[in-house]
Amino acid sequence: MKNILITGGAGFIGSHVVRLFVNEYKDRQIFNLDKLTYAGNLENLTDIENKSNYTFIKGDIVDGSFIDEIFEKYNFDTVIHLAAESHVDRSITNPLEFIHTNIVGTVNLLNASKKQWDGSFTDKLFYHISTDEVYGSLDDGGFFFENTPYDPQSPYSASKASSDHFVRAYQNTFGLPVIISNCSNNYGPNQFPEKLIPLFINNILHEKSLPVYGKGENVRDWLYVVDHAKAIHTIFQKGKVGETYNIGGFNEWKNLDLIKVLCKVVDEKIGNSPGTSEKLITYVKDRAGHDLRYAIDANKIMNELGWEPSLQFEEGIGKTVDWYLENKEWLERVTSGTYLDYYKEQYQNRK
Ligand code: NAD
Ligand code: TYD
């Protein structure tokens, strides 16, 4: 029986990946290693937590000896590494946390894999999940390709770029079998309401202002989270060791346009009269160093591995809003306590 380690499986994307692997691979043990930070929530996985091929391990990837111990105990064949600090605004407030988790944590996992596999790499894989933000910021034209030079602009993207470089260095230096994928912005169920879409849904439900950074002209390329999980599964099955794959939905939106669509969809679903939520839009001080535009060219994964997004954006946004409306208790629970302190700190100086 093969043992697959997924890190960060209690988080937004990780929980969708864990669910997919647990349901798909009944003959393999799926281990979910997660520290359960503010962003990790085992409630995301209640539907699969009792399956016999699923094991949760609570732990910190920054703790190297703990990581060595669990590798020795469970002898993982595959690592799918998602655990990270993931929010740009938090990286501006506290960059060191990002260096610890995203860089040191990744190197601990690389070291443990190298030690455990000890030069015998048949059927082994270290698959590192990264972001398009490592490529920097685009102006109006062009796309990020797999060979676009790295040019990270925020402490978050600098820490992810660094971890990507370490992953490649371990392949080049020690022959570790690695794959990296770089995905565009995800949206969908279970995303912590600090990121744009769930934050704005939560604020609309509480009739709070919608804080648009700058003029709302920044552009992001949005992919439904289940389609990202499916892309990760496709790469796990068919990806070539040593390769990088860009993942995206060819779905660019200017923030303000996206926010207006979101307001309209929520208004329709909760029975508000048209235009109600748009009135909550408030322009606030821009994010420091705010990347203007991200856009992924996803032709490689589409042409070589046959993956494609399954959902159009309108359908994805509808499903996302439905999930938050059906899971108001989840939203209430994750936004109590320390979330309120975070919100105050992030937004009180932006007025
Ligand atoms: P998230 O913040 O929702 O979840 C991160 C998870 O990692 C949480 O469960 C958290 O508890 C866990 N974690 C954090 N620090 C840890 C530590 N030291 N040890 C063990 N576990 C720890 O993040 P997400 O949005 O699901 O992103 C997952 C991965 O995908 C990240 O590597 C991120 O860089 C990448 N990514 C995210 C997006 C996006 O739009 N969200 C896009 C592309 C790539
Ligand atoms: P976010 O969801 O934080 O993702 P990222 O910064 O990784 O792309 O932000 C998406 C876009 O929305 C980004 O251009 C910043 C903007 N934004 C706001 O205008 N207001 C907000 O309160 C937040 C959280 C983001």
Side-chain angles (χ1 to χ4, degrees):
M1 193 175 205
K2 289 204 162 199
N3 289 341
I4 299 177
L5 173 67
I6 299 176
T7 70
F12 167 48
I13 302 170
S15 60
H16 291 275
V17 175
V18 166
R19 176 174 300 104
L20 200 160
F21 275 71
V22 166
N23 289 329
E24 188 75 24
Y25 295 107
K26 307 256 170 9
D27 58 341
R28 300 186 189 181
Q29 267 303 319
I30 312 300
F31 294 83
N32 169 15
L33 166 63
D34 201 295
K35 184 180 171 186
L36 301 181
T37 67
Y38 75 93
N41 191 343
L42 287 177
E43 259 187 80
N44 294 344
L45 290 166
T46 41
D47 56 324
I48 55 107
E49 68 187 358
N50 292 323
K51 301 253 174 159
S52 58
N53 64 333
Y54 172 70
T55 307
F56 174 68
I57 306 169
K58 184 172 186 316
D60 187 346
I61 57 169
V62 178
D63 181 348
S65 30
F66 166 75
I67 295 298
D68 284 347
E69 266 168 44
I70 61 162
F71 270 73
E72 247 168 63
K73 185 165 176 195
Y74 298 114
N75 203 1
F76 307 116
D77 307 284
T78 297
V79 178
I80 304 179
H81 175 36
L82 296 104
E85 286 293 332
S86 67
H87 190 37
V88 174
D89 289 328
R90 287 185 192 253
S91 83
I92 295 168
T93 319
N94 185 7
L96 267 180
E97 194 71 40
F98 286 68
I99 293 168
H100 293 143
T101 293
N102 298 1
I103 307 177
V104 178
T106 301
V107 175
N108 281 337
L109 291 163
L110 288 166
N111 280 337
S113 306
K114 173 175 162 277
K115 196 164 143 198
Q116 191 64 28
W117 298 340
D118 193 24
S120 164
F121 295 139
T122 314
D123 292 334
K124 304 288 193 288
L125 177 66
F126 190 102
Y127 177 9
H128 179 62
I129 308 302
S130 192
T131 165
D132 61 354
E133 303 190 24
V134 297
Y135 298 121
S137 178
L138 294 164
D139 50 25
D140 283 347
F143 289 94
F144 296 134
F145 300 93
E146 282 80 0
N147 61 1
T148 299
Y150 276 29
D151 187 21
Q153 301 292 318
S154 73
Y156 164 64
S157 54
S159 69
K160 290 297 288 185
S162 174
S163 66
D164 292 12
H165 288 319
F166 272 103
V167 172
R168 282 206 192 86
Y170 270 62
Q171 176 176 44
N172 183 58
T173 312
F174 307 112
L176 209 73
V178 309
I179 296 181
I180 300 177
S181 59
N182 298 79
C183 190
S184 62
N185 284 60
N186 285 214
Y187 70 98
N190 307 92
Q191 188 170 31
F192 191 79
E194 63 186 355
K195 307 275 169 65
L196 180 73
I197 291 178
L199 177 85
F200 278 32
I201 294 173
N202 189 39
N203 282 14
I204 292 172
L205 296 180
H206 291 90
E207 294 171 30
K208 276 171 74 173
S209 68
L210 305 177
V212 177
Y213 296 167
K215 294 180 180 156
E217 284 178 345
N218 305 65
V219 175
R220 297 292 183 264
D221 178 359
W222 294 92
L223 182 69
Y224 191 63
V225 62
V226 176
D227 280 328
H228 186 193
K230 286 181 183 164
I232 290 171
H233 182 231
T234 302
I235 291 170
F236 165 76
Q237 282 187 314
K238 301 195 236 166
K240 233 171 99 189
V241 166
E243 295 290 314
T244 290
Y245 296 92
N246 279 354
I247 307 170
F250 290 106
N251 178 41
E252 288 181 54
W253 285 82
K254 203 180 265 194
N255 287 345
L256 196 56
D257 295 338
L258 182 150
I259 290 160
K260 287 183 179 166
V261 169
L262 187 63
C263 288
K264 184 167 167 277
V265 172
V266 180
D267 282 344
E268 279 166 11
K269 289 193 187 276
I270 64 176
N272 278 346
S273 52
T276 306
S277 297
E278 266 194 42
K279 292 196 193 107
L280 297 171
I281 290 176
T282 311
Y283 294 91
V284 299
K285 192 172 150 206
D286 207 354
R287 173 185 280 170
H290 196 173
D291 287 342
L292 179 64
R293 173 173 169 258
Y294 305 141
I296 276 278
D297 183 305
N299 275 307
K300 179 174 170 181
I301 184 174
M302 288 176 165
N303 296 336
E304 292 183 12
L305 306 185
W307 170 87
E308 57 181 39
S310 64
L311 280 192
Q312 294 300 312
F313 189 62
E314 288 68 20
E315 194 184 348
I317 277 291
K319 280 172 93 117
T320 303
V321 173
D322 284 343
W323 187 86
Y324 284 95
L325 293 178
E326 284 157 18
N327 290 276
K328 280 192 185 142
E329 284 168 12
W330 180 96
L331 207 44
E332 291 301 325
R333 272 196 289 276
V334 301
T335 53
S336 59
T338 53
Y339 175 88
L340 299 173
D341 301 333
Y342 159 80
Y343 198 86
K344 213 167 139 200
E345 191 186 328
Q346 283 294 339
Y347 291 95
Q348 75 183 355
N349 296 326
R350 288 194 185 272
K351 286 175 188 146

